[in-house]
């Protein structure tokens, strides 16, 4: 028999300042985060269409979204020794709502990021550029924590959303690296250091590929202008 999973939402609620016998407040908060995801995704859909008017191709290849699971939220609060309250979730966890934008070229990433941040209702909370400053393992991506308004029936709430920008090559490497490193218990492998080195080499090769393809695009665009 499979082990029954604990009801994390039920464990969160008793720690609120105003305890409730149900998990409704938590579900409401998750709904607000879903609304924030929809707001941000719509912004990118509009930018993609508008930018395509001035280009021969769209800058966005795909958009992925995700909402952090209750298990993951609860675990993160515990690891950080944070209060198990809804207020604590909103004030300390900025990656509950996530939007990942996959672009063709690195140049498109910065172009889109700046276009997003110029919008009046978008507030930048945090920026981490792992493209210009890759992580030690080779990971590359541009991460933004932004705050956007969601317009509800009787109120407007500002919600935080994590936005990740990657090229196709960056996303390919990150997805496979995650599967190899965490799904196969790589840490217990006796060849861990060598495998980690090879994965980082692959990341560097993917970065070279991005620059190479971007240079080719520049040559093609330059030839069209002549």
């Amino acid at each position: 028999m499979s082990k029954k999973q604990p009801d994390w939402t039920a464990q969160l609620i008793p720690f609120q300042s105003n305890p409730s016998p149900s998990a409704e407040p938590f579900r409401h908060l998750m709904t607000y985060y879903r609304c924030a995801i929809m707001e941000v995704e719509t912004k990118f859909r509009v930018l993609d269409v508008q930018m395509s008017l001035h280009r021969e191709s769209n800058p966005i290849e795909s958009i992925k979204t995700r909402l952090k699971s209750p298990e993951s939220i609860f675990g993160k609060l515990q690891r950080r020794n944070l209060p198990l309250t809804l207020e604590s979730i909103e004030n300390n966890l900025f990656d509950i709502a996530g939007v990942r934008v996959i672009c063709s070229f690195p140049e498109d990433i910065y172009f889109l990021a700046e276009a997003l941040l110029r919008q009046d209702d978008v507030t930048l909370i945090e920026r981490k550029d792992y493209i210009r400053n890759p992580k030690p393992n080779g990971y590359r991506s541009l991460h933004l924590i932004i705050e956007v308004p969601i317009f509800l029936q009787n109120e407007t709430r500002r919600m935080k959303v994590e936005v990740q920008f990657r090229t196709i090559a960056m996303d390919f490497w990150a997805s496979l690296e995650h599967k190899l490193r965490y799904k196969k218990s790589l840490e217990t492998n006796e060849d861990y250091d060598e495998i980690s080195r090879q994965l980082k080499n692959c990341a560097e090769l993917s970065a070279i590929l991005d620059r190479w393809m971007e240079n080719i695009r520049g040559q093609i665009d330059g030839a069209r202008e002549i």
Side-chain angles (χ1 to χ4, degrees):
M1 293 178 61
S2 60
K3 186 178 180 181
K4 185 179 179 181
Q5 293 296 316
D7 184 357
W8 299 116
T9 57
Q11 294 191 48
L12 280 164
I13 300 306
F15 287 90
Q16 297 181 86
S17 55
N18 298 308
S20 168
S22 74
E24 273 311 295
F26 179 80
R27 294 193 185 98
H28 287 173
L29 181 60
M30 292 301 101
T31 298
Y32 300 153
Y33 279 116
R34 287 192 189 94
C35 293
I37 287 172
M38 289 188 284
E39 287 281 352
V40 174
E41 183 176 8
T42 299
K43 287 179 177 294
F44 282 118
R45 298 290 182 194
V46 172
L47 283 172
D48 191 46
V49 171
Q50 189 266 324
M51 290 177 180
S52 69
L53 297 174
H54 309 287
R55 298 165 169 230
E56 292 194 0
S57 61
N58 297 55
I60 297 176
E61 290 289 334
S62 64
I63 299 175
K64 304 174 184 178
T65 64
R66 68 107 180 92
L67 185 69
K68 215 172 188 63
S69 69
E71 293 83 0
S72 182
I73 293 170
F74 187 80
K76 198 164 188 176
L77 289 174
Q78 283 191 317
R79 289 192 300 273
R80 294 187 178 182
N81 294 316
L82 293 170
L84 306 179
T85 65
L86 299 185
E87 292 82 4
S88 179
I89 291 174
E90 289 196 81
N91 294 333
N92 297 292
L93 304 186
F94 298 165
D95 62 345
I96 294 176
V99 176
R100 182 175 297 152
V101 182
I102 311 301
C103 301
S104 303
F105 304 96
E107 182 181 56
D108 295 333
I109 288 176
Y110 294 105
F111 195 72
L112 275 168
E114 294 310 313
L116 175 70
L117 295 176
R118 280 196 297 269
Q119 297 188 11
D120 294 339
D121 59 349
V122 176
T123 301
L124 177 64
I125 304 298
E126 184 176 275
R127 180 185 186 120
K128 292 183 179 179
D129 192 340
Y130 297 117
I131 299 175
R132 291 173 176 151
N133 302 286
K135 288 187 176 182
N137 68 341
Y139 175 84
R140 288 172 168 80
S141 180
L142 175 63
H143 289 200
L144 303 179
I145 302 295
I146 61 172
E147 194 173 64
V148 296
I150 59 170
F151 303 94
L152 306 171
Q153 182 178 358
N154 298 312
E155 64 173 323
T156 300
R157 292 178 63 107
R158 295 195 66 84
M159 305 297 295
K160 295 180 180 66
V161 179
E162 180 188 50
V163 182
Q164 296 180 0
F165 295 89
R166 297 176 183 172
T167 63
I168 300 170
M170 292 172 195
D171 192 55
F172 167 79
W173 180 89
S175 298
L176 292 184
E177 192 267 354
H178 180 79
K179 288 181 180 180
L180 291 171
R181 186 177 294 275
Y182 298 104
K183 302 302 182 182
K184 302 298 182 182
S185 300
L186 180 60
E187 288 81 359
T188 62
N189 192 303
E190 60 182 12
D191 296 323
Y192 173 79
D193 290 339
E194 173 59 21
I195 293 173
S196 295
R197 185 187 66 80
Q198 291 185 47
L199 287 171
K200 184 174 182 179
N201 287 343
C202 288
E204 292 171 352
L205 288 172
S206 71
I208 292 172
L209 178 62
D210 267 336
R211 291 193 295 270
W212 199 347
M213 295 298 287
E214 195 164 66
N215 287 339
I216 292 173
R217 181 176 73 164
Q219 291 175 355
I220 293 172
D221 290 345
R224 288 198 185 105
E225 295 174 1
I226 296 175

